[in-house]
Amino acid sequence: MHIRTLPGKAFRTTALAAVIFAASGAAALAQGDAARPAGEAVPGTPSVQDPWLARWLSVTPDRRPAPQVPGKDYGMDPNTGAFVFPKATPEAHDGQRFPGELDHWDRTLLAKNVDVIAFYPGVGSPFHAWNNVLDFEGRRYLYIHDRDYLRIMDVTDPAHGKVVYSKGAVWGPKGPSEDWDAAGVKDYWGGMTIAWNKKLGKPILVASYEIGRYGLMEDKLKEPEKVARQRSYNSLKGFKVYAMNGPTPDDWELLATRTTDVERPDASVGRQRGSGSLDAPEYFGGKYMILAAAPDDSYALTEYSNYLYSPGYQVWDMSDPAHPEFVSQITVPGQKVDDPASVFEYLKNPRAGNRTSWMGARMPLFLPKPLEQGGKIGFGAMGGLGLWSFDLSDPAHPKILGNFNTPPSFSGTEFDNADVSQYERTGYVLTSGYPLNTDCNEPYKDIWVVDARDPARMKVAATLPRPVPPENAPYTSFCQRGGSFGPKRSNSIGQPGAWRQKIVPYSFYNAGVQLFDVSDPAHPRIAGYFVPPLADETELPSYTLSQGVFALYTEYDRNIMWAFTDNGAYALSSPLLGEPVMGMPARPWPAR
């Protein structure tokens, strides 16, 4: 998309960026250096094989944060019982315990204004969950999926749900029930969205297909073969559209397959460029769908150690679900390594060179109102690039309205998602990243309350309160429970019913589910919580333990929250949401 600049500034900015780009050696890398004598090294030339990684390395300094010492650089304050977080940490794949941390997985249950309807052990994986709901022929079905597995539960009675379809491994104390090779997956979908399509008169499912993020690569600077394998990935980079003639995959009809490599729409699997479609598409069943995607390999300005892309956004025309048509690509400054102006903006970001931060989108744009219903504004959480607002009045020509960023908070992700559930009422947006290192070995991830009443001039108004254990807890900080502590996400795409006003529930890893009262977003408070027992080695292998509640899906039409943990799923109710409906809702979902 075109980036608007102030009159008289565009040439000077672009010219200066071009000078820096050329001086860095990136220009020589981009063009090749045929004039260089054979065998003679060029100073500053990175020793990596992938040309896009080489360009990124050639323009960024090495600013990796130093490892922090637990009990010295961070840890428990003996005077207050509070936890002092580190200021910056490198990505860590293993836990790093600190003095005062519990020596066991805490089995205490804590709750306020939340009741348990039922617990369903082992219905997901211990790593992640996307969710959907579909009403079909008088039954309600809950979908629990994560790339290599899919469970479908009949939850018409949420207190007596049952699995009606299962594909992929089931986990227990000895590990998964099936062997699985992450590098050998041929049909590796990501998030799914279910919506009612008026033209077909039935629900349709749009499934994202992206490069897997588990078990494929740890360090892109040290694993050239794995980098090359992701460039020529063995599964679709894009999305598929299905007509749902029934609740289970044997009744689904494939309508369309598209790649997000939009400049080469006929490229075959293995030759498609870019990232594919990340997370669940933002789609309400009408004309427009929005994806998070990097369309080609030039979107390479990202620091994250095992990911190659800085995704932007794509708008697609879904007027005919069997023939989706690409409409526009949304790109912000600081994403494309072959664009001098983009590199210039990237280098102004204090995260550039830390070899740690995720840069670019992880989820599609967040729309307070669907475009077909008169919505014109979208918000994009773009990792270390910050929060962006867009004018989508003309989806074929989106425009940047504004953006803002906060001081860096790494390791872990920043600006992963945005909650726009309160925007129409208040003009405020909630946004946060989430922790990736365990044992609180990274800065805390605040949930920022953003005043976006003027989307072109967004500003932080407050943060949501940090959860603190009640006095009857056997610890004074949730960090002492071990594992991860901090927000994951609030509202998922495609939750039944309408967003609840004034109450926003968040999954919070080892702090369970936290319900925030945002009647006045500038003065929020915690109104309820559910902190379940943590899974231990009697239920799962030790290498899977650390998360707690890592996903939350709310049926607002039945006032039921589904909290997904390492070891299963809880059906929850709360008086803050209203009396739970223990049968079918008044109207079917997705909305007709």
Side-chain angles (χ1 to χ4, degrees), residues 492-511:
S492 299
I493 293 172
Q495 294 177 142
W499 289 318
R500 185 71 73 252
Q501 291 302 295
K502 301 182 180 181
I503 293 291
V504 177
Y506 267 86
S507 53
F508 234 88
Y509 287 109
N510 70 9

Side-chain angles (χ1 to χ4, degrees), residues 185-205:
V185 174
K186 301 292 186 182
D187 196 21
Y188 204 174
W189 66 30
M192 302 188 300
T193 298
I194 297 174
W196 182 263
N197 185 262
K198 185 176 180 180
K199 179 177 181 178
L200 297 179
K202 63 179 67 175
I204 63 173
L205 181 150

Side-chain angles (χ1 to χ4, degrees), residues 118-124 131-134 139-144 150-166 247-248 555 558 562 564 568-571:
F119 175 64
Y120 299 98
V123 294
N131 306 106
N132 307 90
V133 154
L134 170 69
R139 312 296 298 178
R140 170 153 286 192
Y141 298 94
L142 173 67
Y143 295 74
I144 309 164
L150 170 64
R151 310 277 185 269
I152 304 176
M153 292 181 63
D154 183 333
V155 293
T156 308
D157 178 357
H160 300 91
K162 60 181 179 180
V163 175
V164 297
Y165 179 90
S166 180
T248 57
E555 298 180 50
R558 296 203 301 176
W562 292 91
F564 297 89
Y570 289 88

Side-chain angles (χ1 to χ4, degrees), residues 49-71:
Q49 297 177 14
D50 184 85
W52 297 106
L53 285 183
R55 294 183 199 187
W56 163 63
L57 285 171
S58 72
V59 298
T60 56
D62 189 338
R63 293 172 174 162
R64 277 175 270 211
Q68 303 291 289
V69 179

